[in-house]
């Protein structure tokens, strides 16, 4: 008689409560940050992006012979694009794409062409200069993920 009643119990009775997982549960990460080198004056870091039907959301410009992030964009829903979400900041210095590093004085158009050819997977290399005590600039001295690693 007890066995007969057990067969009528719902599955959750045996296994615990059922949880519905989000559709993104097993999705690969959209980016991965690696801190290559860190000291008092700068941090070198690399971010590997998986671009699936979305843009990085950056505008670059040449400043004193270096390629820097000039602007970070949002998508049409006013959500941060990949670059902003990964923690890239304005004035971060773009030093390379994938396995190619830039020589001083590289042209902005050459960098844009390299980004266009990079495809779905792209690895960007950056340097972030740290704010000195007497520097009154407005950008953050640390990458947000790097700061978590340093803490």
């Amino acid at each position: 008689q007890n066995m007969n009643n057990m067969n009528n119990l719902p599955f959750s009775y045996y296994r615990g409560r059922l949880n519905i997982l989000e559709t993104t549960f097993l999705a690969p990460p959209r980016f991965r940050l690696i801190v290559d080198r860190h000291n008092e004056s700068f941090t070198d870091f690399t971010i590997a992006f998986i671009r699936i039907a979305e843009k990085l959301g950056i505008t670059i410009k040449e400043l004193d012979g270096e390629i820097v992030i000039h602007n970070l964009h949002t998508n049409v829903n006013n959500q941060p694009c990949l670059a902003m979400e990964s923690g890239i900041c304005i004035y971060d210095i773009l030093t390379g794409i994938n396995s190619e590093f830039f020589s001083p004085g590289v042209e902005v158009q050459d960098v844009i062409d390299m980004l266009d050819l990079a495809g779905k997977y792209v690895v960007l290399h950056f340097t972030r200069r740290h704010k000195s005590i007497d520097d009154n600039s407005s950008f953050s001295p640390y990458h947000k993920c790097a700061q978590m690693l340093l803490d």
Side-chain angles (χ1 to χ4, degrees), residues 60 94-102 110-116 118 121-125:
I60 58 174
L94 182 60
T95 58
I97 298 173
N98 294 332
S99 60
E100 262 188 70
F101 289 84
F102 308 139
D110 293 339
V111 175
I112 292 170
D113 292 342
M114 289 175 69
L115 281 170
D116 288 342
Y121 301 99
V122 63
V123 177
L124 301 182
H125 306 278

Side-chain angles (χ1 to χ4, degrees), residues 21-47:
L21 300 176
E22 294 183 28
T23 57
T24 58
F25 178 73
L26 294 177
R30 297 167 51 223
F31 60 87
R32 183 181 67 190
L33 168 77
I34 301 163
V35 175
D36 302 315
R37 187 173 24 181
H38 172 76
N39 63 34
E40 292 178 2
S41 58
F42 67 88
T43 299
D44 288 336
F45 60 98
T46 300
I47 303 177

